[in-house]
């Protein structure tokens, strides 16, 4: 009898271990905002959406747009109509069918919902037509070159119309999408849990049973949890911890340069010299040594930059290279602007280690020129609210980036765009946006990017600083991990030994 009991206990233990082994524990730097693709705006939220919500199209490791919920697409001769074929047999997590009507509902929801963060991304859409149950026709007001690229992110994510209508503004508390994992629970500032959706259209490629996203803002604590076995994977490893992970035989590292940038946002609506005088903003930029910031804070792993794409990107405007630090010129500019130094400016930052270290180095450099930067740290969500409200002077801000440069520029710099935190509006910039958005010719778009750079880099509503090397650290037990330039994990093919 005791042998049978022991055998059953061992079997149960084995089953439990196997079940536990297929639970991926993923350490996030920040607690995501709303789990609703129409309203979300955080990078950490995109990490969770990668498990919850499939998109119309995706990108591969080389930034090629590939099918996901849409299996094929074609453009009209005038580039004003995009026809997409929707994958057959796809179900939302509530069992509802994903069809052309659902796609129409989602695109119109992005466009019409009050507070939508997607409206600016797809504002060129005029109407959406259902051709047949699996064919949708998207009619544009004008040709819009970035549209497919926009669909590789939240603008292309589909939620269940039934759930969205039933839950209303409570949808983020119980999101229903069509991705490989369905929502289980969320505990604010602690964890988000999802589990495998058994009716997922590509279920045979999903080996994980469950994912626990654990919110751990402190980079040191996050790494300690990984090394102790409390996590299997973490995102945004601190560059200063890279050597430590590389020397650990139980851990691996993944890396890629981000599509986005790190920047100083300047609130131009404020009544202060920094907001009112471009010479003061130029002085602030000239006080900074991007290479030194990279070496001191990021162990030389990041890529200094001064534009919305990094200097290695084919869309980088080479006519405007990274300016060198020039303390004498910066002081002269402040004098020309009639500024009495030290000039006090509040600098809002996210309350994480790297932001604090960056801010301290920036503060010290700017002080030599005549700026008195007063650092104010707050959590990520609060910082975004302050940006929305225009309740900041200067903010150290991270943008994760998009495949098309339009996704790195328009929403921040167009006059009425939803993420125009600097409150910037310039007619020449608007004309440049029209030029790059309404033409698919790469040379025409390249000229438009130069026109935009000519204006924006002189006005300086933002001061672009560097481009992160996105670093993941993970257990050697995790198999199938791949690096993607958008910085998101693809859970297809992932498994734990």
């Amino acid at each position: 009898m005791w042998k049978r009991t022991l055998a059953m206990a061992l079997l149960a233990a084995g089953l439990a271990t196997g079940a536990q082994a297929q639970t991926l524990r993923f350490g996030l730097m920040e607690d995501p905002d709303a789990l609703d693709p129409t309203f979300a705006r955080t990078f950490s939220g995109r990490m969770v959406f990668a498990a919850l919500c499939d998109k119309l199209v995706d990108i591969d490791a080389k930034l090629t747009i590939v099918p996901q919920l849409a299996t094929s697409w074609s453009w009209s001769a005038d580039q004003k109509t995009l026809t997409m074929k929707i994958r057959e047999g796809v179900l939302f997590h509530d069992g509802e069918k994903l069809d052309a009507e659902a796609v129409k509902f989602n695109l119109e929801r992005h466009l019409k919902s009050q507070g939508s963060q997607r409206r600016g991304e797809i504002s060129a859409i005029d109407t959406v037509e259902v051709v047949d149950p699996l064919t949708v026709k998207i009619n544009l007001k004008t040709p819009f070159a970035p549209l497919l690229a926009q669909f590789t992110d939240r603008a292309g994510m589909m939620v269940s119309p039934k759930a969205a209508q039933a839950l209303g503004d409570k949808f983020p508390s119980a999101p229903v999408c069509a991705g490989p994992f369905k929502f289980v629970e969320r505990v604010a500032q602690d964890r988000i849990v999802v589990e495998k959706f058994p009716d997922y259209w590509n279920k045979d490629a999903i080996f994980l049973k469950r994912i626990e996203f654990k919110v751990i803002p402190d980079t040191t604590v996050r790494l300690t949890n990984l090394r102790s076995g409390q996590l299997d994977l973490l995102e945004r490893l601190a560059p200063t911890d890279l050597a430590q992970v590389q020397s650990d035989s139980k851990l691996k590292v993944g890396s890629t340069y981000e599509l986005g940038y790190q920047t100083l946002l300047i609130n131009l609506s404020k009544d202060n010299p920094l907001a009112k005088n471009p010479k003061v903003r130029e002085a602030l930029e000239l006080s900074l040594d991007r290479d030194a910031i990279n070496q001191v804070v990021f162990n030389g792993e990041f890529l200094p930059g001064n534009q919305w794409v990094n200097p290695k990107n084919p869309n980088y405007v080479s006519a405007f290279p990274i300016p060198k630090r020039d303390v004498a010129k910066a002081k002269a500019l402040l004098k020309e602007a009639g500024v009495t130094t030290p000039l006090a400016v509040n600098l809002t930052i996210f309350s994480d280690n790297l932001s604090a270290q960056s801010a301290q180095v920036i503060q010290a450099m700017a002080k030599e020129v005549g700026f008195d930067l007063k650092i104010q740290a707050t959590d990520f969500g609060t910082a975004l609210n302050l940006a929305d409200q225009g309740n900041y002077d200067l903010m150290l801000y991270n943008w994760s980036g998009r495949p098309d440069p339009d996704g790195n520029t328009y929403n921040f710099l167009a006059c009425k765009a939803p993420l125009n935190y600097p409150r910037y509006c310039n007619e020449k910039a608007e004309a440049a946006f029209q030029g790059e958005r309404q033409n698919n010719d790469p040379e025409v778009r390249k000229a438009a990017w130069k026109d935009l750079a000519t204006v924006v880099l002189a006005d300086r509503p933002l001061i672009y600083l560097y481009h992160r090397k996105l670093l993941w650290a993970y257990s050697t037990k995790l198999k199938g991990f791949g690096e993607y330039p958008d910085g998101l994990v693809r859970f297809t093919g992932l498994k734990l030994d």
Side-chain angles (χ1 to χ4, degrees), residues 225-269:
N225 274 262
L226 179 68
R227 300 191 73 179
S228 67
Q230 300 302 305
L231 292 176
D232 305 298
L233 168 68
L234 63 80
E235 50 102 9
R236 282 177 281 180
L237 172 73
T240 48
D241 291 332
L242 182 57
Q244 183 183 166
V245 174
Q246 289 173 328
S247 65
D248 191 327
S249 62
K250 295 181 180 180
L251 300 178
K252 287 187 175 183
V253 173
S255 69
T256 186
Y257 283 117
E258 69 178 344
L259 295 172
Y261 52 80
Q262 316 303 292
T263 186
L264 287 169
L265 298 176
I266 299 169
N267 186 351
L268 301 183
S269 69

Side-chain angles (χ1 to χ4, degrees), residues 129-436:
E129 297 179 43
V130 173
V131 178
D132 61 45
L134 293 177
T135 307
V136 64
K137 186 180 289 186
I138 303 168
N139 302 305
L140 307 181
K141 302 169 187 173
T142 62
F144 183 56
L147 185 62
L148 275 176
Q150 302 289 31
F151 287 158
T152 67
D153 190 51
R154 287 160 294 193
M157 292 179 187
M158 300 289 105
V159 306
S160 165
K162 180 180 178 181
Q165 291 171 326
L167 293 171
D169 60 5
K170 294 183 173 59
F171 181 85
S173 65
V176 180
C177 289
F181 295 85
K182 62 180 182 179
F183 180 81
V184 175
E185 69 167 343
R186 178 175 191 174
V187 179
Q189 304 295 330
D190 182 56
R191 67 184 182 273
I192 296 170
V193 180
V194 300
E195 63 183 27
K196 182 177 178 178
F197 177 48
D199 294 321
Y200 180 56
W201 64 268
N202 195 21
K203 63 184 177 183
D204 291 342
I206 304 299
F207 304 106
L208 299 171
K209 301 297 184 186
R210 186 179 176 94
I211 305 172
E212 296 177 1
F213 295 95
K214 297 178 178 289
V215 180
I216 308 174
D218 189 288
T219 55
T220 302
V221 175
R222 208 158 60 252
L223 179 55
T224 299
N225 274 262
L226 179 68
R227 300 191 73 179
S228 67
Q230 300 302 305
L231 292 176
D232 305 298
L233 168 68
L234 63 80
E235 50 102 9
R236 282 177 281 180
L237 172 73
T240 48
D241 291 332
L242 182 57
Q244 183 183 166
V245 174
Q246 289 173 328
S247 65
D248 191 327
S249 62
K250 295 181 180 180
L251 300 178
K252 287 187 175 183
V253 173
S255 69
T256 186
Y257 283 117
E258 69 178 344
L259 295 172
Y261 52 80
Q262 316 303 292
T263 186
L264 287 169
L265 298 176
I266 299 169
N267 186 351
L268 301 183
S269 69
K270 286 286 189 175
D271 186 17
N272 60 44
L274 184 66
K276 299 303 179 185
N277 197 324
K279 290 183 178 180
V280 178
R281 299 194 289 277
E282 184 179 1
L284 178 59
E285 178 170 23
L286 291 175
S287 76
L288 305 177
D289 184 331
R290 292 169 171 84
D291 288 321
I293 296 171
N294 185 33
Q295 293 298 328
V296 171
V297 182
F298 309 116
N299 207 33
E301 293 290 337
F302 287 7
L303 195 61
N306 67 317
Q307 297 176 29
W308 41 82
V309 293
N310 72 58
K312 297 178 182 293
N313 190 296
N315 291 296
Y316 182 81
V317 183
S318 58
F320 298 97
I322 301 171
K324 300 293 184 182
R325 189 180 195 227
D326 191 332
V327 172
K329 185 177 179 180
K331 287 182 176 180
L333 284 167
L334 288 180
K335 187 175 181 180
E336 288 175 27
V339 171
T340 301
T341 58
L343 176 61
V345 178
N346 293 325
L347 172 57
T348 302
I349 68 170
F350 307 148
S351 52
D352 63 78
N353 310 42
L354 292 181
S355 293
Q357 293 168 30
S358 301
Q360 288 163 9
V361 176
I362 290 169
Q363 181 187 51
M365 290 179 173
K367 185 176 182 180
E368 292 182 36
V369 168
F371 289 92
D372 177 19
L373 300 186
K374 300 182 184 300
I375 299 172
Q376 300 176 341
T378 187
D379 67 88
F380 193 62
T382 300
L384 291 182
N385 288 336
L386 292 174
D388 272 339
Q389 298 159 8
N391 192 14
Y392 76 98
D393 296 334
L394 183 67
M395 182 179 291
L396 186 60
Y397 180 84
N398 308 328
W399 177 245
S400 55
R402 301 294 181 268
D404 189 288
D406 181 87
N408 288 355
T409 52
Y410 183 86
N411 268 349
F412 290 93
L413 298 168
C415 292
K416 296 181 180 180
L419 300 181
N420 191 337
Y421 300 142
R423 275 62 180 172
Y424 179 67
C425 188
N426 183 292
E427 289 184 4
K428 292 181 179 180
E430 294 294 293
F433 281 128
Q434 286 187 17
E436 63 86 6

Side-chain angles (χ1 to χ4, degrees), residues 33-42 45-46 49 115-118 121 154 402 419:
D33 61 345
L35 292 181
D36 184 329
T38 296
F39 304 102
R41 53 185 175 171
T42 61
R46 294 174 69 205
F49 284 133
S116 170
Q117 298 294 321
R118 308 285 81 82
E121 297 172 0
R154 287 160 294 193
R402 301 294 181 268
L419 300 181

